[in-house]
Amino acid sequence: MGKSKVLVVGGTGYIGKRIVKASLAQGHETYVLHRPEIGVDIEKVQMLLSFKEQGARLIEGSFSNHRSLVDAVKQVDVVICTISGVHIRSHHILLQLKLVDAIKQAGNIKRFLPSEFGTDPARMADAMEPGRVTYDDKMVVRKAIQDAGIPFTYISANCFASYFVGGLCQPCKIIPSRESVYLFGDGTVKAIYVDEDDIATYTVKTIDDPRTLDKTLYLRPPENILSQIEVVNMWEKHIGKELEKTSISAEEFLAQMKGQDYIQQICSVHYYHVCFDGCLANFEIGDEGEEASQLYPEVNYTRVKDYLKRYL
């Protein structure tokens, strides 16, 4: 059986461009949806042209034109959507309902991977306001997919390394300090960090794999299941210096949120659940899920200790 044809929606975005690259690298006929209303966004145009030079096919389509989405979907076997669901960039998760409608009408898609790539929203029913909107919207999309009978795989990729490792797990920091760090409590709560290129590699590996059909794939590379203090200690070892450490309690962190704007509060809630509650690593994967590094041991994933070297 040949490899599935793949349509990437959101292919010029932060994760999307990596998915396109991984899909081409793994030998899939790869299509990238682009909007006719791209205007004079020269960086996106140049990225699209570079995809084309690498062998991707460009398909014009728009969420505002249902027919164009149906026509695009009919040309492929698998749809991967990577539109942003992070408020610090943009939040368009519910736009995917239009894509679900198009996939349902087209009737040919073997698998749909909606834009997830973070915390598993099915485990966040008790998340705090206002941050829970991210998880709630993703669950609305999941319900629509399952109500439509569309085959799916959900990707729970946990923490993007560039956002979390780069800032030593501190909000609004993406380059590690050589002087100081503040810890969430005592810094011993475990989280999971994954290089974005590895997220793309694992994602594309699932699409023709019957073991991940109608399941959630959790990305838990074993050497990257680490506490904040473990990440900090790795950085200290690299720079040969101990950082000055201060601690913020859960109560202090929540109190700080009161002076923040809406988008900052959403980001803070996400950090709270990851760094105080340990929501990424405090459960066992059940029958409804699979773990990526076990399914695909051939992937030589980037270790956090090695990821940190780029900042030296």
Side-chain angles (χ1 to χ4, degrees), residues 56-71:
R57 304 185 184 197
L58 307 183
I59 305 182
E60 194 171 278
S62 172
F63 283 104
S64 60
N65 183 337
H66 175 73
R67 185 73 250 163
S68 72
L69 290 180
V70 174
D71 289 344

Side-chain angles (χ1 to χ4, degrees), residues 39 46 73 110 117 125 137 164 172 174 192 202 225-226 264 269 274 278 303 306:
Q46 289 179 342
V73 164
K110 296 194 299 187
F117 305 108
D137 285 358
F164 280 80
C172 303
I174 55 173
I192 305 166
Y202 283 125
I225 303 173
L226 301 165
Q264 288 176 316
V269 167
V274 169
R303 276 65 174 169
D306 296 323

Side-chain angles (χ1 to χ4, degrees), residues 126-270:
D126 296 325
M128 292 188 297
E129 297 283 3
R132 64 172 299 125
V133 63
T134 306
Y135 314 122
D136 290 344
D137 285 358
K138 288 179 178 179
M139 290 306 292
V140 169
V141 174
R142 283 190 180 193
K143 184 176 187 305
I145 292 167
Q146 289 166 226
D147 285 351
I150 297 168
F152 64 84
T153 298
Y154 304 137
I155 305 293
S156 178
N158 298 303
C159 296
F160 289 2
S162 58
Y163 280 91
F164 280 80
V165 175
L168 301 178
C169 315
Q170 302 166 101
C172 303
K173 295 180 187 293
I174 55 173
I175 297 177
S177 170
R178 292 171 178 258
E179 304 299 328
S180 62
V181 64
Y182 76 79
L183 302 176
F184 291 94
D186 61 4
T188 59
V189 173
K190 297 280 188 182
I192 305 166
Y193 311 96
V194 190
D195 180 292
E196 288 86 335
D197 290 330
D198 293 337
I199 292 171
T201 297
Y202 283 125
T203 297
V204 174
K205 278 189 169 290
T206 69
I207 62 180
D208 285 328
D209 188 345
R211 296 173 296 179
T212 58
L213 182 62
D214 294 340
K215 288 191 174 185
T216 299
L217 182 75
Y218 296 92
L219 276 52
R220 287 183 167 186
E223 291 185 47
N224 290 359
I225 303 173
L226 301 165
S227 65
Q228 184 188 14
I229 195 67
E230 287 175 315
V231 175
V232 170
N233 289 343
M234 287 175 178
W235 177 240
E236 290 175 328
K237 191 172 180 181
H238 282 318
I239 63 174
K241 177 183 177 183
E242 192 169 326
L243 302 183
E244 180 185 335
K245 300 176 185 70
T246 54
S247 175
I248 185 168
S249 70
E251 294 74 24
E252 290 169 328
F253 187 79
L254 291 174
Q256 280 184 1
M257 283 175 52
K258 291 175 182 172
Q260 296 174 343
D261 63 30
Y262 177 72
I263 290 174
Q264 288 176 316
Q265 286 184 1
I266 289 172
C267 180
S268 292
V269 167
H270 295 172

Side-chain angles (χ1 to χ4, degrees), residues 32 35 48 77 117 156 166 188 190 233 262 285 292 298 312:
V32 181
R35 292 175 291 128
L48 288 165
D77 308 301
F117 305 108
S156 178
T188 59
K190 297 280 188 182
N233 289 343
Y262 177 72
I285 297 171
E298 69 277 9
L312 293 173

